[in-house]
């Protein structure tokens, strides 16, 4: 979820919009270091950590008994369902707007 949040804020909302909002709220100029971290380093780092965790994950066990395949599939189904709500609601919000374009300008 953190990966989706960072990507959503910096790449969908826009890094420049986010930095402008921070500058407005705090009345300070955002440096290149923070723009690099928020726009590249943190999203890429979170994706690398997520992929590494998924690749190196061992089979789940409880007291040396492995979980059945059906239980693991049910867990992945629940996780995928929860993650799909983010883009689904975003698409619903975009398509149900009264504006003629995605940015709200005609």
């Amino acid at each position: 979820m953190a990966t989706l949040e960072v990507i959503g804020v910096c790449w969908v909302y826009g890094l420049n919009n986010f930095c402008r909002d921070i500058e407005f709220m705090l009345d300070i100029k955002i440096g290149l270091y923070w723009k690099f971290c928020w726009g590249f380093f943190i999203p890429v780092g979170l994706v690398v950590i997520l992929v590494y965790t998924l690749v190196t994950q061992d089979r789940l066990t409880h007291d040396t008994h492995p979980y059945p395949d059906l239980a693991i599939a049910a867990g992945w189904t629940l996780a995928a369902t929860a993650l799909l709500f983010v883009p689904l609601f975003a698409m619903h919000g975009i398509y149900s707007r009264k504006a003629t374009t995605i940015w709200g300008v005609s």
Side-chain angles (χ1 to χ4, degrees):
M1 288 306 291
T3 305
L4 290 177
E5 289 176 15
V6 168
I7 290 172
V9 168
C10 290
W11 292 353
V12 176
Y13 179 64
L15 183 59
N16 290 331
N17 291 333
F18 182 67
C19 288
R20 189 176 57 238
D21 292 343
I22 295 292
E23 290 172 2
F24 173 74
M25 289 186 287
L26 300 179
D27 198 26
I28 59 171
K29 182 77 174 151
I30 301 297
L32 185 62
Y33 170 78
W34 290 108
K35 291 178 183 180
F36 172 76
C37 285
W38 291 330
F40 179 75
F41 183 69
I42 292 173
V44 170
L46 286 174
V47 168
V48 167
I49 291 170
L50 176 64
V51 169
Y52 175 77
T53 302
L54 294 175
V55 167
T56 62
Q57 183 178 20
D58 293 334
R59 188 171 179 90
L60 294 174
T61 60
H62 179 69
D63 290 336
T64 69
H65 299 293
Y67 280 95
D69 291 335
L70 184 61
I72 293 173
W76 278 106
T77 303
L78 285 172
T81 303
L83 290 174
L84 279 176
F85 276 109
V86 173
L88 286 177
F89 277 108
M91 288 188 295
H92 172 69
I94 290 169
Y95 290 121
S96 64
R97 290 176 48 130
K98 303 239 186 280
T100 56
T101 65
I102 191 171
W103 308 113
V105 226
S106 296

